[in-house]
Structures are given as C-alpha cells and as structure tokens.
Amino acid sequence: MSEFFDIYDEALNHLGRKARSAVHRDGLWHQVFHCWVIGRSPAGRQFVILQRRASGKDFFPGKLDISAAGHLEAGESVPDGIREIEEELGLRVDFDDLIPLGRRIGVSKEAGLIDRQICHVFFCECDQSLERYTFPRDEVAGLLKLDIEDGLRLFAGERDSVRAEAVGLGAPAVDISVDEFIPQVDNYVMKILILARRYFAGERHLWI
C-alpha cells in the first residue's frame, strides 16, 4: 500500500497530496520529523544518540543519521511524528516533553531521487544506557552514543575520527569519521552538537 504525503511550495503553502514515490521522484516539498536524543552519562559526559541507517534504505543506506526521524503522512500534524521515536528507538515519550528547535530546510539527491524536506527538529533528553534501546533491523543497522565534545572536535577538523559506544554493529565501540554521516551543506550535525552543549549549559531558548 502506497504512503501519501502532503506537498507544499517553498512558503509551506499546502498544494495537495501525492504518493511517496512521486514526491521523491519529482522533488516535491514535504514535512518530516527529526528528533535528536541527548543525555548525560553517569560520569557527567554529554552525548547524542546516532543511528546507522540500514543497508536497504532508499536514501543514504549505511550512513550515520539522526537519532529518530520520519515523514509526516498525509493529514498528520507535527505531534504525530513522535511515533518515530518509539518505532526506531523503542523509547516512549510525550510530545510535550520534547525540546523544540524550530524548522530546517533539507535538500538531498541520490540515485535519481530528490528529497526536499521541511524538517521539524526537536531534542529529547534521555540518559538511559545504549543497551536499553530497541530498533527495527530493516530500518536501523545499529545505534551509537557520540560524546558531544568529541563530535565537535571531529566536525571542526581537529580529529580524523573519534570512538563512539555502539550497539548492533558488531563491537561495543567503533571509530567514526565525518564522511560516514549523510552529507549536508548547512553543517547540520555540528549545529546540533553546539545546541546540545548550550542546552546542557542551561540555555532553553534554542533555535536551529
């Protein structure tokens, strides 16, 4: 059964709805939900949870990505996107507990498909251990816990790679590099790491 998405122009004016395949084939604007899970380790280190995309994904298989994300289907509103957190991480949270970071425009192209996204971006604070998460193997190959300061050094070019705690990837920790992330023209991941550090420093008025 085909998924249908609401489609929009660049100003977020609703134009109608189309099947997922047509939306990505024609590069039509649609809405997605992004949630970055952040937390503190028992030792006080600050981290963000990443997922490694499964090998069967349409876009960027095997790349490192947002903790949990997904499309809003036709007729859905932003709070409906919270289902992605439970589906991809096994984590049940209330929408009102998320920390809103605003909207981001995302555009990517791969294998003849064009993805034009209006992204609604949130933080979810959760300190649980990596082993307590559950994830669908057809969507997510594994999860990683990236130390925020290590991540900032990585994206600043101070390190070629950093080590991150992992689950589902065949080892308790793996080395990761910048080229393993989905390529972005707006330094999206580095912005998220900076916002996470500011959040843990006590700031609450954050904007992507």
Side-chain angles (χ1 to χ4, degrees):
M1 185 176 180
S2 296
E3 289 181 273
F4 281 81
F5 300 157
D6 287 311
I7 58 171
Y8 303 84
D9 64 15
E10 296 85 346
L12 200 57
N13 295 307
H14 186 248
L15 301 177
R17 58 182 60 182
K18 281 197 174 183
R20 175 187 182 125
S21 58
V23 169
H24 288 156
R25 180 196 66 212
D26 299 336
L28 303 172
W29 290 101
H30 55 288
Q31 298 194 79
V32 299
F33 177 89
H34 286 185
C35 183
W36 297 84
V37 177
I38 58 175
R40 294 184 180 93
S41 70
R45 299 291 292 180
Q46 301 159 9
F47 63 83
V48 61
I49 300 296
L50 304 172
Q51 66 162 267
R52 189 177 292 281
R53 295 167 67 81
S55 60
K57 300 290 284 184
D58 291 344
F59 285 92
F60 303 107
K63 291 289 189 180
L64 297 177
D65 200 3
I66 303 154
S67 315
H71 296 88
L72 296 182
E73 297 183 15
E76 290 189 321
S77 61
V78 177
D80 293 314
I82 200 169
R83 68 169 183 278
E84 300 293 342
I85 305 173
E86 183 171 4
E87 289 177 3
E88 296 189 0
L89 301 176
L91 187 63
R92 302 188 68 177
V93 297
D94 293 326
F95 181 77
D96 290 341
D97 292 333
L98 301 182
I99 300 103
L101 302 177
R103 288 203 302 248
R104 168 186 176 265
I105 298 301
V107 180
S108 60
K109 183 177 181 180
E110 188 184 32
L113 300 177
I114 304 169
D115 201 15
R116 289 193 171 102
Q117 301 181 342
I118 301 156
C119 312
H120 301 271
V121 187
F122 298 86
F123 278 152
C124 173
E125 187 176 2
C126 179
D127 297 336
Q128 76 177 22
S129 66
L130 203 56
E131 292 75 17
R132 291 184 60 191
Y133 289 94
T134 59
F135 49 92
R137 291 288 185 163
D138 59 333
E139 295 279 338
V140 181
L143 300 176
L144 301 96
K145 182 183 287 188
L146 174 63
D147 182 276
I148 287 172
E149 295 304 317
D150 284 346
L152 287 169
R153 294 186 192 98
L154 181 67
F155 279 90
E158 298 173 11
R159 300 279 299 276
D160 292 331
S161 66
V162 295
R163 199 151 184 82
E165 184 181 340
V167 64
L169 299 175
V174 296
D175 292 325
I176 60 174
S177 58
V178 169
D179 61 9
E180 293 181 68
F181 288 80
I182 293 175
Q184 307 286 354
V185 298
D186 62 346
N187 295 316
Y188 184 32
V189 178
M190 189 169 189
K191 288 178 182 178
I192 289 295
L193 294 169
I194 291 170
L195 288 175
R197 183 166 65 178
R198 288 170 53 191
Y199 174 82
F200 286 122
E203 292 188 46
R204 290 299 180 267
H205 299 290
L206 305 171
W207 200 257
I208 189 68

